[in-house]
Amino acid sequence: MKKAAIIASAFFIVLAGVYVGVGVYFSGHYFPKTSINSVKCGNKTPEYVITKNKRKARGYILTIRDRKDSTFTIKGEDFSYAYKDSGEEEKILKGQSNFLWPLEVGKKHEYSLKSEITYDEALLQQETLKLPLFEKEYIEKPQDAYMELDEEHYEMVPEVLGNEPITEILTAEVNEAVAQGEYTITLSDNCYVKPAITSDDPSLKETAQAIEGYLATSIHYEIEGEDENLSGDDILKLIKVTKKGKVSVDPEKVAKFVQYLATKYNTYGDVREFKTTKGDKVKIGGGDYGWVINKAKEAEQIMADLAAGKEVSREPIYEQRALKSGLDDIGDTYIEIDYTKQKLWYYKEGKKKLSTSIVSGNLSHHNGSVDGVYKIVYKERNATLVGENYSSDVKYFMPFAYNIGIHDASWRSEFGKEIYKTNGSHGCVNIPAKKAEKLFSMIEVGTPVVAYYREKVKLTNTAAQVSNAFSYVKEDD
């Protein structure tokens, strides 16, 4: 019994020694499974942790990721980055219940300490400013969202964020990351200059509404035989949008559209293919008959119509009108004069109402009657026609070009044939008195006059020049 008691006492004395010895050990070492700021330091001393952190600090590199997903690095050694012993490692050790080690050795002990780091902020800023982030070639400036128009559609073009840095904010974020002991940082949106106008800006919605307002407008032009409209894509071509989103109609584009109308629908002086009484066709141009659009007033009216935002149906605004609407503006009521055959016909609504032989201007004396498409300017009874070396009284005068007209010629006993070539008039179209009286009573002012030669002639007199005669040529041509 005594021997057993001695053995037991010895065992407990050894056990107590071991317990105390281990407790003493852990007064200078961390428990197993201990880590401080991810540094595994089980069974290690505070000096180990300090040395480890100092080595780690010497290799410190901050990785910066920007908006382009590019990465840049700054080395700690370039801005005096270092680890400073704060005594926290020793405090952790002293805070261990080292004589409760049997209960603690199997547990995990993780500690997160605010690293005691020192560095030169001025040097850090210098190193940051050296990064390509601030190089002109690398920087893409932000662009505002805007409304884009082309000839077929319009669309909202989103803003471009770009990557133009705000120096103060970007360097501050880098400094904060270093101060917190971070190894990587993704720059926030606050580091960049922002576009002034983004896709959700109310002004863009207003711009789109303004464009739609114009597109809701349409102008239908009432031109016989034609289907001419200004709507949809055509209106879109006339609109312009400023960088600030202001929508307006471009006067220059409207002027081009009006020029298109004038080019297509002005018939003044056009060469026309005319079917004669004889059944054949002649080409005749010149004269002063036809439609002429008033380009200035039409442009003003288009601007007003588009501003009103309504559907409009109207004629173009003309400064000169023809008897019939459309490109076929002569219609079926007109006077036809065939100088070659020395004949005149009057048609009303397609029916021949009068025909007569004539004597026209004397070609041998350079007084050939003017050819072209004209209109009866006025009608005058008992007129006196005065020229350079003549004066003639007539009862029925129906002028159609300059001072040239149709009238009776009581001094003539014959009409037709080839009298005009040698004994023709001074340019007017002479017809028998009875025919003149009848024609005078039937026709109206504005009636088209289609006058033509079947052979090539050269008209060189002033009347031909002033009246835009189809066969006018300069004397020296």
Side-chain angles (χ1 to χ4, degrees):
M1 292 293 292
K2 285 182 180 181
K3 187 177 180 180
I6 291 170
I7 293 172
S9 296
F11 175 77
F12 283 112
I13 289 170
V14 172
L15 188 61
V18 171
Y19 171 78
V20 172
V22 174
V24 171
Y25 174 81
F26 283 122
S27 66
H29 297 78
Y30 299 112
F31 288 134
K33 298 184 180 181
T34 297
S35 62
I36 301 175
N37 284 3
S38 75
V39 176
K40 294 180 179 180
C41 52
N43 299 315
K44 304 293 184 181
T45 65
E47 289 74 19
Y48 171 85
V49 176
I50 293 169
T51 301
K52 195 84 170 175
N53 281 330
K54 285 183 177 180
R55 288 177 180 173
K56 189 176 181 181
R58 282 197 295 270
Y60 177 78
I61 296 176
L62 176 66
T63 299
I64 302 170
R65 188 177 298 276
D66 75 347
R67 177 174 276 171
K68 287 186 174 182
D69 208 28
S70 300
T71 56
F72 310 92
T73 58
I74 302 176
K75 293 181 179 180
E77 63 188 33
D78 293 331
F79 57 93
S80 303
Y81 185 92
Y83 181 82
K84 181 182 178 182
D85 176 11
S86 65
E88 290 295 316
E89 294 85 356
E90 189 69 33
K91 287 181 180 179
I92 292 174
L93 181 63
K94 289 180 179 180
Q96 289 187 153
S97 300
N98 52 307
F99 286 106
L100 294 177
W101 61 265
L103 300 175
E104 300 293 337
V105 291
K107 297 180 180 177
K108 284 186 177 181
H109 301 274
E110 295 178 348
Y111 300 93
S112 179
L113 300 181
K114 181 178 180 182
S115 299
E116 288 293 329
I117 298 299
T118 61
Y119 61 93
D120 189 321
E121 290 191 20
L123 285 176
L124 174 59
Q125 183 166 17
Q126 288 180 20
E127 292 301 313
T128 303
L129 294 176
K130 290 179 184 177
L131 296 173
L133 286 165
F134 297 93
E135 292 178 0
K136 184 178 180 181
E137 294 76 13
Y138 185 77
I139 294 172
E140 181 183 5
K141 291 186 175 295
Q143 297 179 22
D144 292 344
Y146 65 96
M147 200 65 69
E148 182 178 68
L149 283 85
D150 59 28
E151 293 188 351
E152 296 181 355
H153 71 294
Y154 74 93
E155 65 176 348
M156 191 274 292
V157 179
E159 70 276 9
V160 175
L161 293 177
N163 65 333
E164 183 177 5
I166 301 174
T167 303
E168 297 81 3
I169 297 177
L170 192 151
T171 54
E173 284 198 6
V174 171
N175 185 71
E176 179 63 20
V178 172
Q180 295 296 326
E182 302 290 344
Y183 284 82
T184 60
I185 175 178
T186 299
L187 298 174
S188 72
D189 290 341
N190 294 329
C191 293
Y192 303 100
V193 176
K194 295 178 174 60
I197 301 175
T198 57
S199 301
D200 57 357
D201 194 291
S203 65
L204 290 178
K205 184 176 182 181
E206 292 173 3
T207 299
Q209 289 174 339
I211 294 173
E212 287 297 330
Y214 282 117
L215 297 184
T217 306
S218 66
I219 302 174
H220 171 68
Y221 286 100
E222 296 173 348
I223 302 172
E224 188 172 335
E226 302 295 326
D227 185 25
E228 187 68 54
N229 300 282
L230 179 60
S231 60
D233 291 345
D234 294 321
I235 292 177
L236 196 61
K237 295 174 185 177
L238 307 182
I239 297 173
K240 63 179 180 179
V241 179
T242 67
K243 289 184 178 180
K244 293 185 177 181
K246 183 179 180 182
V247 183
S248 62
V249 178
D250 189 333
E252 292 185 3
K253 293 179 179 179
V254 171
K256 288 182 180 179
F257 175 75
V258 174
Q259 182 59 53
Y260 152 77
L261 287 179
T263 300
K264 184 174 181 179
Y265 295 109
N266 281 1
T267 57
Y268 179 95
D270 281 356
V271 175
R272 299 164 169 85
E273 190 171 73
F274 178 77
K275 185 175 181 179
T276 73
T277 297
K278 298 299 181 182
D280 60 344
K281 292 181 179 180
V282 296
K283 288 187 176 180
I284 183 66
D288 62 1
Y289 179 80
W291 296 99
V292 179
I293 292 175
N294 188 318
K295 291 189 281 189
K297 290 186 177 180
E298 177 59 29
E300 289 178 7
Q301 189 59 50
I302 288 174
M303 299 285 281
D305 290 341
L306 295 181
K310 298 179 180 178
E311 294 183 0
V312 178
S313 183
R314 62 174 177 82
E315 282 188 332
I317 297 178
Y318 296 106
E319 63 181 63
Q320 176 174 303
R321 302 178 68 84
L323 190 64
K324 182 184 176 184
S325 178
L327 298 176
D328 182 17
D329 56 354
I330 295 174
D332 57 6
T333 297
Y334 56 88
I335 294 170
E336 178 187 351
I337 304 174
D338 184 336
Y339 292 130
T340 303
K341 296 187 177 298
Q342 290 291 283
K343 295 288 291 184
L344 177 152
W345 298 271
Y346 170 59
Y347 288 88
K348 184 175 178 62
E349 296 177 354
K351 295 181 180 180
K352 184 165 63 179
K353 296 294 184 179
L354 179 144
S355 65
T356 180
S357 297
I358 64 170
V359 175
S360 58
N362 191 330
L363 285 174
S364 62
H365 290 173
H366 304 291
N367 287 328
S369 297
V370 298
D371 57 349
V373 183
Y374 301 92
K375 60 181 177 295
I376 298 299
V377 181
Y378 62 88
K379 300 192 300 183
E380 184 179 1
R381 290 288 302 272
N382 301 319
T384 299
L385 309 181
V386 179
E388 292 183 4
N389 54 6
Y390 71 91
S391 176
S392 302
D393 293 326
V394 299
K395 292 182 179 180
Y396 306 102
F397 185 46
M398 295 158 275
F400 60 85
Y402 186 46
N403 58 355
I404 305 298
I406 305 166
H407 61 76
D408 54 294
S410 58
W411 56 88
R412 292 188 182 279
S413 58
E414 281 190 289
F415 295 87
K417 302 179 182 178
E418 295 189 349
I419 298 171
Y420 75 105
K421 292 185 177 181
T422 56
N423 188 29
S425 70
H426 292 91
C428 285
V429 178
N430 297 172
I431 62 175
K434 289 185 178 180
K435 296 287 186 176
E437 179 182 9
K438 186 176 180 181
L439 182 64
F440 190 93
S441 66
M442 289 191 295
I443 65 169
E444 298 178 357
V445 172
T447 299
V449 177
V450 183
Y452 57 88
Y453 291 91
R454 289 180 174 275
E455 73 276 8
K456 187 174 181 61
V457 298
K458 290 185 177 181
L459 305 178
T460 59
N461 55 33
T462 301
Q465 179 183 12
V466 173
S467 61
N468 190 35
F470 185 58
S471 298
Y472 169 74
V473 292
K474 290 183 179 179
E475 293 248 26
D476 55 355
D477 285 356

